[in-house]
Amino acid sequence: MIDLIGWTASAILLATLIRQIITQSRSAQANGVSHWLFIGQASASVLFVVYSVLLENWVFTVTNSCLLLTAIAGQWLTRHRRTAGADPAREGGTTAG
């Protein structure tokens, strides 16, 4: 029963982060996303994964591993959007010339 509480919390947290990634992927703007947010989230997630493995707590091991993946996905989307925004041809625009 106690693990069910942890897995439920994990599912809720991951669902909200996945929803944020979907929203971010649909947005043409990436200006408000800090590179330091990625660095902090990824670093904390790696350390929490190690800590959770050492404690043999699989709820937190899985959750923190998934959080690391969402940080990587968010960073990739941000970079992709910024690169696409700098190149009008990638967004279906036209270039002069």
Side-chain angles (χ1 to χ4, degrees):
M1 179 62 175
I2 293 173
D3 279 350
L4 180 61
I5 295 168
W7 286 116
T8 302
S10 177
I12 292 168
L13 177 59
L14 293 171
T16 58
L17 289 171
I18 290 168
R19 181 66 186 149
Q20 179 59 38
I21 289 172
I22 291 168
T23 301
Q24 184 178 340
S25 70
R26 292 179 179 163
S27 172
Q29 300 293 324
N31 298 334
V33 181
S34 169
H35 180 67
W36 289 105
L37 173 65
F38 164 74
I39 292 170
Q41 182 182 356
S43 299
S45 292
V46 167
L47 293 173
F48 275 128
V49 168
V50 171
Y51 179 71
S52 300
V53 168
L54 292 172
L55 291 177
E56 297 180 8
N57 185 315
W58 300 114
V59 172
F60 287 123
T61 300
V62 171
T63 301
N64 288 307
S65 296
C66 290
L67 291 174
L68 178 58
L69 293 176
T70 63
I72 292 167
Q75 178 66 10
W76 182 85
L77 284 170
T78 299
R79 284 184 180 218
H80 178 74
R81 286 292 180 192
R82 286 181 181 160
T83 302
D87 183 1
R90 293 181 87 177
E91 291 291 317
T94 58
T95 57

